[in-house]
Amino acid sequence: GRSNPSMNLGSAYFHKGELELAENNLLEAADFFSDNHLAYYYLGQIYQKQNKLDDAIVAYSESVEGDVVYLWTFAVYIELGSIHANLGNLDEAIGLFKKAQAVDRVNLISYKNLSLAYELQGDLNLAIAEVEKGLRIHPENEEFIKRLLDLDVKRMFSESRR
């Protein structure tokens, strides 16, 4: 691809934890090539670390703009979903976790996060369904086996209180 010194510097500063220098270079890189999705991905991570969540949402969204699936597309949908879940926008979070699932059907993070979001919404049946889907992919996953048991107990408890 096209070489972009600002992008290279921004990436290097990011990995060194020099977030301000990284941000300046990445903004320059994003400015230089308007389709620099990777720069926006890094910017999203920087803003998320700085707890600038509105800026993170914008940058992450820019990083997955269009129809191309990038190496970071799955991670962006997970991060965006997590930000929205933390802000209490559970419907938005669920939509993003489903997009992540569509990109990578075998990565359990999307199933776990969907399950948690459904549980927060009070829908234990959908929460359990996501865990079961994850277990069909990785039947030995101990975290998912334990989560299934915990959710089953919660469901039984909530049904017995009705």
Side-chain angles (χ1 to χ4, degrees):
R2 301 163 294 187
S3 180
N4 182 338
S6 300
M7 183 67 215
N8 298 340
L9 276 171
S11 171
Y13 283 129
F14 175 81
H15 290 292
K16 278 183 63 183
E18 303 271 356
L19 298 185
E20 211 168 293
L21 288 167
E23 180 183 5
N24 294 338
N25 279 283
L26 291 164
L27 284 169
E28 207 172 286
D31 219 31
F32 191 67
F33 297 124
S34 61
D35 65 343
N36 197 330
H37 295 87
L38 182 58
Y40 285 111
Y41 174 54
Y42 281 125
L43 285 165
Q45 291 181 75
I46 290 169
Y47 296 140
Q48 191 175 6
K49 283 180 180 170
Q50 296 171 333
N51 212 28
K52 298 177 184 171
L53 298 183
D54 290 337
D55 292 338
I57 288 169
V58 170
Y60 276 141
S61 299
E62 281 288 322
S63 78
V64 291
E65 192 68 33
D67 298 325
V68 179
V69 174
Y70 301 97
L71 286 172
W72 57 85
T73 298
F74 178 85
V76 165
Y77 288 143
I78 293 294
E79 293 303 334
L80 277 171
S82 299
I83 291 169
H84 280 290
N86 289 331
L87 294 173
N89 310 330
L90 290 175
D91 288 335
E92 186 73 22
I94 286 167
L96 287 155
F97 295 144
K98 285 181 177 176
K99 280 184 164 185
Q101 229 171 39
V103 171
D104 183 347
R105 295 228 173 265
V106 297
N107 192 318
L108 290 182
I109 294 169
S110 58
Y111 297 94
K112 176 182 172 180
N113 288 6
L114 269 170
S115 173
L116 291 167
Y118 286 133
E119 182 183 4
L120 286 170
Q121 279 190 328
D123 194 330
L124 293 177
N125 291 328
L126 283 176
I128 287 169
E130 289 304 319
V131 174
E132 288 172 340
K133 286 181 203 169
L135 282 169
R136 280 197 287 277
I137 297 163
H138 295 286
E140 308 298 309
N141 186 292
E142 286 180 20
E143 181 188 359
F144 271 57
I145 292 167
K146 183 185 178 323
R147 178 139 174 79
L148 185 60
L149 293 171
D150 291 348
L151 286 169
D152 266 336
V153 168
K154 257 188 184 170
R155 182 168 60 181
M156 285 189 309
F157 185 67
S158 71
E159 285 170 359
S160 70
R161 292 178 59 195
R162 284 191 186 140

